[in-house]
Amino acid sequence: MPTSARWVQAFLGALLSGAVPVLVPDALPAPVARRVIADSSADFVLGPDGALPDGTAYIDDGAALDDPALLCYTGTAARQPVPAGVELSNENLLSAVSSVVGALGLPADGLRNLVLLPLAHASGCVDQLLPTFAVGGTVVLAPGARRLAEVLDAERVDTISATPRIFAGLLPELAVRQAGSAVRRISKACHRSERAAAAAPATLTAALRARFPAARQWSVWGATETSGIGLMVDDTDLTDTGSTLGFAFGGTELALAGPQADQGRGELLCRGPNVSRRYWNDPVAARARFSGSWFHTGDQVSIDRDGLVRIAPKRASGL
């Protein structure tokens, strides 16, 4: 189902029915989507057409923190024939939502968040949609809008959430139209693939700073396994953003693995209340990526004495 008000209705309705929503990105090729749905053992498939089921809201007062709350599939390009289903528990979602609200200082007096992140991904659903609702704010959706600058003013948007690639595409339009005077918060979600696609994050940050001088900027980094966010940094006034990933977010704990771990360099490991502990129906992948309560991100980083995580520079061949 594409991003829309109907998507939000279906998602919230599934939660209120006591079900575990399975997020299937509408951009998935049809054969992959069918394999994902079959792998998830879904009881119902809610698509873009027809009436949504209706019924009485179900509240389970006995729900446990480690009960599954959401199933997100990830790694479509790397995992065959079925992407990995990441189980996110009630604790994972509650931790991520409360941490986003606190870290970004989301107000309870009329927040209007233009969410340009895919809702079928944890970064859009868990880190933006749910926190905005948690403070009584308004989520503004503009799927496929060609004139986002007009949307900023027409919808009185004060917060924008997108990927660096989306922001880079939006800047030329904003340069022509002096829109978005109400914007006070900018959240840039940057996963590993986005980091590779964003050629000059420092240039982007500076351009956004020039266009929205009154706005605070945050860069967030994470994976579906970390509920979409594991590291965050306030880069409003940060000068070196090229390799910076951020500080541990919320209750996330960090560790390094590898022969240079004691020197502050190695593979980044994460654990905490927002970090998944397993994959759905895939014990082989779970053993490869989870060690006890630690999630192996596969990313080579360095951590300085202040806890700031940066992308580790590539070493020359033979060194």
Side-chain angles (χ1 to χ4, degrees), residues 62-133:
L65 285 176
D66 60 354
D67 284 349
L70 188 63
L71 187 58
C72 300
Y73 279 80
T74 185
T76 57
R79 302 178 192 277
Q80 294 295 333
V82 179
V86 180
E87 289 188 39
L88 295 177
S89 67
N90 291 320
E91 182 180 29
N92 294 153
L93 265 60
L94 290 170
S95 174
V97 169
S98 62
S99 294
V100 168
V101 170
L104 270 62
L106 299 186
D109 59 353
L111 171 69
R112 299 182 69 82
N113 189 356
L114 174 61
V115 179
L116 301 176
L117 297 165
L119 294 184
H121 296 174
S123 53
C125 175
V126 179
D127 302 331
Q128 296 301 330
L129 182 81
L130 291 179
T132 301
F133 286 161

Side-chain angles (χ1 to χ4, degrees), residues 182-251:
V183 174
R184 292 295 180 267
R185 285 168 295 276
I186 296 174
S187 176
K188 303 189 293 291
C190 194
H191 292 196
R192 180 166 42 178
S193 58
E194 268 291 335
R195 172 64 65 175
T203 302
L204 175 62
T205 297
L208 288 170
R209 187 181 302 140
R211 181 63 195 87
F212 302 105
R216 292 183 65 187
Q217 290 191 53
W218 289 270
S219 287
V220 300
W221 174 96
T224 304
E225 291 87 346
T226 64
S227 300
I229 182 169
L231 305 171
M232 188 175 88
V233 63
D234 183 338
D235 57 11
T236 303
D237 300 314
L238 196 63
T239 56
D240 177 21
T241 60
S243 63
T244 301
L245 294 181
F247 296 95
F249 172 79

Side-chain angles (χ1 to χ4, degrees), residues 255-273:
L256 294 172
Q260 294 184 307
D262 58 349
Q263 302 172 34
R265 174 187 170 120
E267 182 191 8
L268 180 65
L269 277 59
C270 300
R271 71 178 179 186

